[in-house]
Amino acid sequence: MELNVIQNRLTFLREAEKLKNVTRFSHTSNGRQESTAEHSWRLCLMAVIFADQFKDIDFEKLLKICLIHDLGEAIHGDIPAILKDQFPAKNQQEKQDLYQLTECLDDQPQMLIRSLWQEYEDATTPEAKIVKALDKLETILQHNQGINSPDFDYEFNLSYGEKYTNDSPLLKQIRAILDEETQERIKMNIHIRDENPSDIERIFNLTKAAFATEQHSSHTEQFIVNALRNSNQLTLSLVAACNNKIIGHIAFSPVQISDGTTTGWYGLGPISVLPEYQGQGVGSKLMYAGIEALKDLDAVGCVLLGEPEYYGRFGFKADSRLVLAGVPAEYFQILPFTEYVPTGEVVYSDAFNATE
């Protein structure tokens, strides 16, 4: 081989090394952003692992496509899959970058890389279609495995690359497993925080939706929350956020007791979770976070009206020393934070009478 050809191929490899420094939206299992080169490596490994299940394909070609499919990102970097719709010229830019990157090569490797890249883009051959599908699946696998930011949009996984992963029974099986993992990550990816002004309308709507079909609801809970806030009685207002979406809310407000106790005790409620997220632990996360937040305010106790079986798991129980007029004793429960419990009738804020 001529010396200048060798030098030019080494020049190409030096330029391709930049792919090691191109970071992707995904994070690794220790929280570090992964590089495009790392993604390409595991895509190749994925192809090797499942190669025995793909009949009548050119495996050497498939592996080569895996290696070069993102090579164009070495120059201008990666655009996250979740943002690709905002960059319609992405593929054209990558093609220009790939041609620039391979300009120094002699004809044989240059034509090979460019033609395989185009084959991947067109996704018309069996090998290219498989790589397209595995590329999406590897990305989803990394999303689920990585330590991502609290607002990471796991729901994106559920529709990403569907048209490619439905091409074979195996790809569908892999997709089903990863979709199940995604659903579990969605459940875990819940962040509890204080409400902010931009949440107010969403809290109103989710509270309304949460109680819309509740048989024993007054269907005024959303008005109660607003009235508490407007009267400066909303001591704690926490939201559960999942992938930038408000899916749950819990409110705490001061109560008074007829024995003269006017400070230190709070009423819990309403607590609301969007119907489609109920039964997934959102309410429990709000309960635990709310109780701890109350303790940080030096509260001495909390009361609520609700199902004994559910709220009992958080330490609430009926206590004859505190009562709420007009309700069955077993449904009015308390959680004291100190040994002393006052005696008397509990009175909630007037905001609980709000109807609009």
Side-chain angles (χ1 to χ4, degrees), residues 242-269:
C242 179
N243 304 320
N244 289 323
K245 180 180 182 180
I246 303 301
I247 63 171
H249 174 256
I250 192 170
F252 293 87
S253 57
V255 296
Q256 296 184 2
I257 302 170
S258 60
D259 72 347
T261 301
T262 58
T263 60
W265 280 83
Y266 295 87
L268 186 161

Side-chain angles (χ1 to χ4, degrees), residues 142-242:
Q142 190 62 55
H143 285 173
N144 289 341
Q145 188 175 7
I147 299 178
N148 303 300
S149 61
D151 61 350
F152 191 89
D153 185 8
Y154 288 101
E155 288 190 4
F156 171 79
N157 284 0
L158 298 176
S159 59
Y160 181 52
E162 279 183 310
K163 67 179 181 180
Y164 299 113
T165 59
N166 286 330
D167 275 356
S168 79
L170 172 63
L171 295 173
K172 287 181 179 179
Q173 284 181 295
I174 298 172
R175 182 64 186 250
I177 293 170
L178 296 182
D179 281 352
E180 188 174 340
E181 287 181 1
T182 294
Q183 294 287 8
E184 290 302 313
R185 288 306 300 259
I186 290 172
K187 292 178 185 179
M188 294 188 299
N189 193 43
I190 299 170
H191 174 55
I192 309 298
R193 59 168 175 78
D194 291 325
E195 73 161 44
N196 59 53
S198 65
D199 298 325
I200 292 175
E201 183 178 356
R202 288 184 288 177
I203 291 171
F204 181 92
N205 292 333
L206 86 84
T207 305
K208 182 179 178 180
F211 289 94
T213 60
E214 287 295 317
Q215 188 176 8
H216 300 293
S217 166
S218 63
H219 306 297
T220 60
E221 287 81 5
Q222 65 273 21
F223 301 122
I224 292 171
V225 174
N226 277 357
L228 286 169
R229 186 185 295 109
N230 293 336
S231 61
N232 294 319
Q233 297 291 295
L234 193 56
T235 305
L236 271 177
S237 180
L238 305 178
V239 297
C242 179

Side-chain angles (χ1 to χ4, degrees), residues 197-354:
S198 65
D199 298 325
I200 292 175
E201 183 178 356
R202 288 184 288 177
I203 291 171
F204 181 92
N205 292 333
L206 86 84
T207 305
K208 182 179 178 180
F211 289 94
T213 60
E214 287 295 317
Q215 188 176 8
H216 300 293
S217 166
S218 63
H219 306 297
T220 60
E221 287 81 5
Q222 65 273 21
F223 301 122
I224 292 171
V225 174
N226 277 357
L228 286 169
R229 186 185 295 109
N230 293 336
S231 61
N232 294 319
Q233 297 291 295
L234 193 56
T235 305
L236 271 177
S237 180
L238 305 178
V239 297
C242 179
N243 304 320
N244 289 323
K245 180 180 182 180
I246 303 301
I247 63 171
H249 174 256
I250 192 170
F252 293 87
S253 57
V255 296
Q256 296 184 2
I257 302 170
S258 60
D259 72 347
T261 301
T262 58
T263 60
W265 280 83
Y266 295 87
L268 186 161
I271 176 171
S272 314
V273 177
L274 283 175
E276 61 266 34
Y277 289 92
Q278 291 174 9
Q280 299 180 25
V282 180
S284 295
K285 288 179 181 289
L286 284 166
M287 288 290 299
Y288 286 122
I291 291 167
E292 291 306 309
L294 266 190
K295 291 177 180 178
D296 289 342
L297 293 177
D298 294 326
V300 294
C302 184
V303 300
L304 62 80
L305 181 64
E307 289 289 336
E309 184 176 351
Y310 177 78
Y311 291 104
R313 72 182 72 173
F314 307 103
F316 285 86
K317 60 183 179 180
D319 189 308
S320 60
R321 287 172 290 183
L322 289 178
V323 298
L324 182 65
V327 302
E330 66 270 24
Y331 287 94
F332 187 66
Q333 302 151 69
I334 77 169
L335 177 63
F337 303 145
T338 65
E339 292 185 4
Y340 173 73
V341 176
T343 301
E345 183 178 323
V346 174
V347 180
Y348 282 82
S349 165
D350 287 341
F352 280 83
N353 297 317

Side-chain angles (χ1 to χ4, degrees), residues 24 39-40 42-51 53-54 57 59 62-63 66 69 120 126-142 160-161 164-166 168 170-172 174-175 178:
R24 287 165 57 86
H39 160 68
S40 296
R42 193 160 73 162
L43 176 60
C44 291
L45 191 60
M46 201 172 191
V48 170
I49 292 300
F50 290 109
Q53 299 301 306
F54 297 115
I57 64 159
F59 180 69
L62 184 141
L63 205 56
C66 288
H69 81 290
Y120 172 78
E127 292 79 11
K129 289 179 180 179
I130 291 171
V131 176
K132 279 280 188 183
L134 294 180
D135 174 57
K136 310 310 177 190
L137 294 172
E138 199 287 325
T139 298
I140 296 170
L141 180 65
Q142 190 62 55
Y160 181 52
Y164 299 113
T165 59
N166 286 330
S168 79
L170 172 63
L171 295 173
K172 287 181 179 179
I174 298 172
R175 182 64 186 250
L178 296 182

